[in-house]
Amino acid sequence: MKITRFYLSIIALPAILNCTAQKKVAPLLPVLKDVFWNDFSVGTALSALQIEGRDHKADSLVKKQFNVLTPENSMKSMFLQPEWGKFDFRIGDRLTDYAAKNNMQVVGHTLIWHSQLPAYAQTIRSKDSLQAFFNNHIRTVAAHYDKKVLGWDVVNEALNEDGTMRPSIFQRLLGDDFVTEAFRLAQEASPNSELYYNDYNNEQPAKRAGAIRLIKKIQGAGVRIDGVGIQGHWHIGKVPFDDIEKSILEYSALGIKVMFTELDIEVLPRNFTGAEVNQRMRNTNDTALNPYTAGLPDSVQKQLADDYAQLFRLFLKHRDKISRITFWGVNDGQSWLNGWPVPGRTNYPLLFDRNYQPKPAYYAVIATKQQ
């Protein structure tokens, strides 16, 4: 049924466009989730405002185009457990209810991450106290959403760029085995949810090697891990296609699913790669760092479309290994890249513009199924 709707929409498009010219009605757009129905799920990240239903344009677009939802921030520990032992599931529950009502799935993001911890957790200095927070948070949250979410980003960004363990609060106080233990606890508390490791730059050789060691360690302990998330925060004209393909092959060889979990392609100047949220650029008042406040030039729009098209051709080549592609935001105005690593910039990293209209990149992605 999904495929039929897509092909009917493509076949009917010339007639619809002709009708549009006569009656001035909006043309029917192809639907991402239907176009790639037989290949992989297509998702997006939602802000709290969108989850709460206060962004009606986003609501209409999300219902039409996507079939998997990830909370951009609302399921991180600082929001779910703002006070020790006191959990606030209201927004997360609203998301899972919304998804169930609209025949979508939810990926929980994230159980354990060193960033965006509640204030009290950031001040913990003893191993016993952190272990208590760690155990209770995973057990309570994972159990609450068992059978309500497709899967969890159990641990987020536990590695350095060279593939060694990041010296986070969890690594320092609980040791390198905290990742395996997080998956063990999540497996026990949420047996019906898939369990993923998620990171940025883990398509790069050194970090990829570290992630593979980490995944093998989890597997070697007899603990379940179902997939790896490659975040996919890349830069226009510099998308590492060869490393992405090698990563798809090497991760899938471990017997796990491969996902691209936070996809966006930045168009603005930046002097480093990755998505370390604590990094910032200097000289933030330099207007050269924010060159497209009046709109994106056609040449840049074309490069963005070309990059997305090449990326999706690669995804389609390995569709048997990839289970999900999630864009990190519904439209350009929502993107976190407007505020990082330079506050207040005007960025254009997604398929839909600030008015929720499809960009050339959207049509380029759709066209990869017609080639």
Side-chain angles (χ1 to χ4, degrees):
M1 183 65 72
K2 302 274 187 179
I3 300 171
T4 302
R5 285 205 303 271
F6 163 57
Y7 282 110
L8 282 175
S9 68
I10 293 297
I11 293 169
L13 195 55
I16 293 167
L17 292 172
N18 184 52
C19 178
T20 301
Q22 297 177 22
K23 299 183 179 180
K24 296 184 180 180
V25 296
L28 180 65
L29 287 176
V31 176
L32 288 167
K33 65 183 179 184
D34 291 353
V35 169
F36 298 103
W37 180 260
N38 285 333
D39 307 308
F40 33 71
S41 300
V42 182
T44 190
L46 297 187
S47 67
L49 181 145
Q50 291 164 343
I51 294 170
E52 292 172 341
R54 291 184 285 136
D55 185 343
H56 299 296
K57 289 183 178 180
D59 182 67
S60 177
L61 184 64
V62 168
K63 285 178 180 176
K64 181 178 180 62
Q65 294 287 344
F66 304 103
N67 51 18
V68 184
L69 306 176
T70 302
E72 191 174 16
N73 288 297
S74 304
M75 285 188 175
K76 292 170 182 173
S77 60
M78 69 180 294
F79 298 104
L80 282 188
Q81 194 183 172
E83 298 180 56
W84 188 290
K86 294 183 179 181
F87 291 85
D88 185 352
F89 294 116
R90 289 174 298 173
I91 296 181
D93 288 353
R94 183 156 186 163
L95 176 61
T96 55
D97 290 345
Y98 175 89
K101 181 180 178 181
N102 291 285
N103 196 30
M104 300 173 177
Q105 294 176 310
V106 171
V107 173
H109 177 78
T110 169
L111 289 174
I112 295 297
W113 188 30
H114 62 276
S115 190
Q116 290 186 263
L117 287 167
Y120 62 83
Q122 297 175 36
T123 63
I124 293 175
R125 295 294 179 264
S126 76
K127 176 179 179 180
D128 289 347
S129 293
L130 186 63
Q131 190 74 65
F133 167 80
F134 181 89
N135 292 0
N136 186 47
H137 188 80
I138 295 174
R139 286 171 174 157
T140 302
V141 174
H144 180 85
Y145 287 107
D146 190 31
K147 298 183 180 179
K148 297 180 181 179
V149 299
L150 167 66
W152 273 103
D153 291 333
V154 177
V155 177
N156 196 49
E157 300 174 7
L159 297 172
N160 291 317
E161 295 305 291
D162 64 359
T164 60
M165 294 297 293
R166 177 196 292 268
S168 68
I169 185 174
F170 298 107
Q171 188 274 339
R172 291 195 306 270
L173 294 182
L174 304 183
D176 289 353
D177 289 340
F178 85 88
V179 176
T180 301
E181 185 59 21
F183 276 85
R184 190 191 310 278
L185 291 167
Q187 172 183 277
E188 294 169 356
S190 190
N192 299 289
S193 302
E194 294 182 346
L195 309 177
Y196 318 130
Y197 175 71
N198 192 58
D199 214 328
Y200 63 84
N201 279 0
N202 54 338
E203 77 284 347
Q204 296 298 312
K207 198 166 189 178
R208 183 201 319 149
I212 289 172
R213 289 193 297 270
L214 190 60
I215 292 163
K216 286 182 174 179
K217 183 177 182 179
I218 296 167
Q219 293 174 327
V223 177
R224 178 165 60 88
I225 177 171
D226 300 296
V228 61
I230 300 171
Q231 290 184 10
H233 296 298
W234 293 309
H235 200 281
I236 191 169
K238 300 177 182 179
V239 180
F241 297 107
D242 289 343
D243 288 323
I244 294 168
E245 182 164 32
K246 290 175 183 176
S247 298
I248 294 169
L249 295 172
E250 292 185 21
Y251 286 132
S252 64
L254 300 175
I256 61 175
K257 297 178 180 181
V258 179
M259 290 151 282
F260 292 85
T261 56
E262 303 182 19
L263 181 58
D264 47 33
I265 299 179
E266 184 172 9
V267 303
L268 299 182
R270 181 145 57 100
N271 58 9
F272 63 91
T273 62
E276 172 52 59
V277 295
N278 293 317
Q279 280 187 279
R280 296 291 186 272
M281 289 180 66
R282 297 179 179 179
N283 301 320
T284 56
N285 292 325
D286 185 350
T287 57
L289 296 179
N290 193 24
Y292 307 132
T293 56
L296 203 59
D298 289 345
S299 60
V300 182
Q301 197 83 264
K302 183 180 184 305
Q303 178 67 66
L304 182 66
D306 290 346
D307 282 354
Y308 266 117
Q310 186 171 347
L311 194 53
F312 267 77
R313 284 193 292 269
L314 181 58
F315 293 159
L316 287 170
K317 178 180 177 181
H318 296 289
R319 70 192 81 188
D320 59 320
K321 305 172 186 68
I322 298 171
S323 63
R324 172 169 54 94
I325 310 296
T326 291
F327 293 91
W328 206 238
V330 179
N331 79 335
D332 286 339
Q334 176 194 345
S335 174
W336 71 298
L337 291 170
N338 292 299
W340 178 92
V342 179
R345 294 206 292 183
T346 307
N347 219 320
Y348 304 82
L350 298 168
L351 300 189
F352 296 92
D353 68 19
R354 283 167 168 74
N355 294 316
Y356 299 91
Q357 296 303 305
K359 294 158 59 178
Y362 164 87
Y363 294 104
V365 165
I366 294 293
T368 61
K369 282 290 287 185
Q370 302 168 327
Q371 296 172 351

